[in-house]
Amino acid sequence: MPRKVSCSFCGEQIAPGTGLIFVRKDGVVFNFCSRKCEKNMIGLERKPRKIKWTEEYRKEKALRTKK
């Protein structure tokens, strides 16, 4: 059975047979659930920690408000 991978930008689970794979020249592989995530990370060079709809933002916000 194919394994599920998570999106490199938003952290969402990607079902087998869907999504996009981007490989840089140095061999680093990025998996994206949608073109929206790809454009934000590759095209616009945004950091997932600063975008409110990403999983990484939610985790960081939970740590900040926990104190």
Side-chain angles (χ1 to χ4, degrees), residues 1 4 10 18-20 29 34 42-43 45-46 48 50 55 59-60 63 65:
M1 181 165 174
K4 289 188 178 181
C10 70
T18 61
L20 303 160
V29 178
S34 64
I42 305 299
E45 299 179 0
R46 291 184 175 154
K50 296 184 178 183
E55 188 65 34
K59 287 179 185 177
E60 188 173 308
L63 289 174
T65 57

Side-chain angles (χ1 to χ4, degrees), residues 7-18:
C7 179
S8 298
F9 189 74
C10 70
E12 184 178 316
Q13 290 291 320
I14 303 172
T18 61

